[in-house]
Amino acid sequence: MNTLIISSFSCTFEEFEKEITENFFGCLVKDYVSDYEFVKVNDHKAHTLIHITDMNKFGASLESDEAKEFDKRNNCKDIVYTLELIE
């Protein structure tokens, strides 16, 4: 499933990018995310396009203690959209 996550955060973009690419995609969801693109919008906002192979596991990872602690520490808010190809 193709998904778009719009994230806003109080940390720097560099801190957010490191956390997302190294810890989240590098460890936490690597078994059920087959591809992603991470795009800086501004210093406190990013868009992430993701291809998820198991939405239930991905949803559970967003609710993990590690993810919740990062969100709380960095005032991170995510808006998640599922995307469909229009032919």
Side-chain angles (χ1 to χ4, degrees):
M1 175 174 292
N2 292 313
T3 306
L4 167 65
I5 301 177
I6 298 174
S7 303
S8 60
F9 39 87
S10 60
C11 61
T12 67
F13 174 81
E14 290 74 21
E15 291 168 324
F16 184 78
E17 180 180 35
K18 182 177 180 181
E19 178 70 23
I20 295 301
T21 57
E22 290 180 11
N23 296 331
F24 193 68
F25 289 116
C27 299
L28 196 57
V29 300
K30 68 179 181 175
D31 294 333
Y32 39 92
V33 169
S34 62
D35 193 22
Y36 71 93
E37 291 183 36
F38 189 72
V39 180
K40 178 179 180 177
V41 175
N42 61 44
D43 290 337
H44 299 287
K45 188 173 190 176
H47 292 177
T48 309
L49 296 163
I50 310 167
H51 184 263
I52 301 168
T53 57
D54 189 323
M55 196 61 162
N56 291 329
K57 288 182 180 178
F58 184 80
S61 69
L62 293 177
E63 294 298 318
S64 71
D65 291 341
E66 182 180 356
K68 285 182 177 183
E69 176 57 34
F70 175 82
D71 289 350
K72 183 178 178 180
R73 191 173 62 247
N74 295 288
N75 195 30
C76 183
K77 306 289 185 217
D78 295 322
I79 301 170
V80 181
Y81 298 92
T82 59
L83 303 175
E84 272 187 47
L85 177 63
I86 299 174
E87 297 183 51

